[in-house]
Amino acid sequence: MIRVAFTLIGGKNWTGGYNYLLNLVGALSEHASDSVLPILFFGNDIDEADALPFGQIDGAVVIRSTVFNQNRQGARLHQALITGCDQAAASAFEAQGINVVFEPAQFYGWRFPVPAVAWIPDFQHRHLKHLFDLRAYWKREIGFRAQIYSGRYIMLSSEDARQDCERFYPHTRGRTHVVHFAVPAVDFIDDSASRAVADAYGLPDVFFFLPNQFWKHKNHECVIQAIKILKKRGKEVVVAVSGKQVDPREDRKSTRLNSSHL
């Protein structure tokens, strides 16, 4: 049995990362329960509501530790970069007999004693450089380079990301693997329940659903322009938008859209 360590991805500011981890652990439970044991290391500062869904996955183990509290991440990263090893994380993982560590947007050091698989979902800072200030760009770039030049195997979420990775960082060739985004299969949809949700928001029988977060690179402006074009053609459409209204890269605390913008 391979014991794989995971830490929380995303959360309130990035539900995509949170759901990716939840689906990944769920898939391991369903399809690899005889060979892989997912062990999740969460800080004591994580809301119980965020940790609970992982604890409900068959076979998954949730461990709470102050080592993984948010306010300790900076010091641990500094140690990993300076000494080559995040010793606090190493001790926590070794105490649980961890064989492999899943390393998302963090770095445990080039001398870390446990093998690590780095996950890189995309390279938007390269393609959409204008959306990142200098500090944000280099924070992401240095993080990727640290993982790559430490000899990590690189896990990517699409063939497109793999091609980007091997083009931007040729050293990764032969070390990249694609694990596609996936969601649980839905066997049955209750039409009456779905309609009740739509009715609660005053939605018509036909509408477009746009669940993207209000981040610049999601390009909501393109949807607004499309609606304007359709209105000029005499076609009225309704777009239901559910994404979180906060972009961490924006100075203002939130970005809000309402019908007056359409």
Side-chain angles (χ1 to χ4, degrees), residues 34-259:
D34 58 341
S35 58
V36 177
L37 176 64
I39 303 179
L40 297 118
F41 292 80
F42 293 159
N44 288 339
D45 56 348
I46 293 176
D47 290 344
E48 184 57 32
D50 291 332
L52 183 62
F54 293 94
Q56 294 175 335
I57 298 174
D58 289 340
V61 177
V62 175
I63 293 175
R64 293 282 199 142
S65 171
T66 56
V67 168
F68 301 97
N69 281 8
Q70 188 109 20
N71 62 6
R72 295 189 62 178
Q73 287 184 357
R76 286 175 39 224
L77 177 59
H78 184 263
Q79 184 184 54
L81 291 171
I82 298 301
T83 70
C85 181
D86 178 347
Q87 191 57 57
S91 297
F93 294 150
E94 289 179 328
Q96 296 297 325
I98 297 300
N99 304 112
V100 180
V101 176
F102 184 73
E103 186 182 69
Q106 59 196 63
F107 181 56
Y108 293 117
W110 68 88
R111 295 192 302 109
F112 200 68
V114 184
V117 175
W119 176 53
I120 300 177
D122 59 49
F123 298 90
Q124 59 177 277
H125 73 297
R126 289 279 194 142
H127 291 290
L128 303 171
K129 194 172 181 178
H130 60 286
L131 299 183
F132 294 79
D133 61 29
L134 197 61
R135 181 178 179 276
Y137 175 90
W138 280 109
K139 180 181 178 182
R140 182 174 289 221
E141 181 66 17
I142 290 172
F144 288 175
R145 292 188 189 186
Q147 291 176 314
I148 288 164
Y149 289 109
S150 295
R152 306 290 200 253
Y153 281 98
I154 309 298
M155 177 173 149
L156 302 143
S157 300
S158 67
E159 288 294 340
D160 183 67
R162 184 216 288 267
Q163 292 173 19
D164 280 346
C165 187
E166 295 182 352
R167 176 161 55 93
F168 295 138
Y169 315 101
H171 287 80
T172 62
R173 289 172 184 161
R175 292 190 283 128
T176 58
H177 305 271
V178 174
V179 178
H180 294 284
F181 282 97
V183 295
V186 178
D187 297 323
F188 174 75
I189 297 177
D190 186 338
D191 290 340
S192 60
S194 299
R195 188 61 250 169
V197 173
D199 287 342
Y201 290 95
L203 295 170
D205 290 338
V206 178
F207 60 90
F208 291 95
F209 178 45
L210 183 65
N212 294 354
Q213 298 192 129
F214 283 78
W215 290 359
K216 266 189 174 182
H217 68 280
K218 299 300 183 181
N219 200 7
H220 287 75
E221 185 177 354
C222 180
V223 178
I224 295 171
Q225 295 304 322
I227 293 172
K228 287 183 177 179
I229 291 171
L230 289 171
K231 290 186 77 170
K232 288 179 180 179
R233 295 176 180 176
K235 297 181 179 180
E236 295 290 333
V237 298
V238 172
V239 179
V241 186
S242 68
K244 290 191 178 291
Q245 298 176 336
V246 175
D247 187 339
R249 289 168 298 195
E250 288 292 289
D251 291 333
R252 55 187 179 276
K253 290 184 178 180
S254 64
T255 302
R256 300 194 177 276
L257 261 177
N258 55 47
S259 58

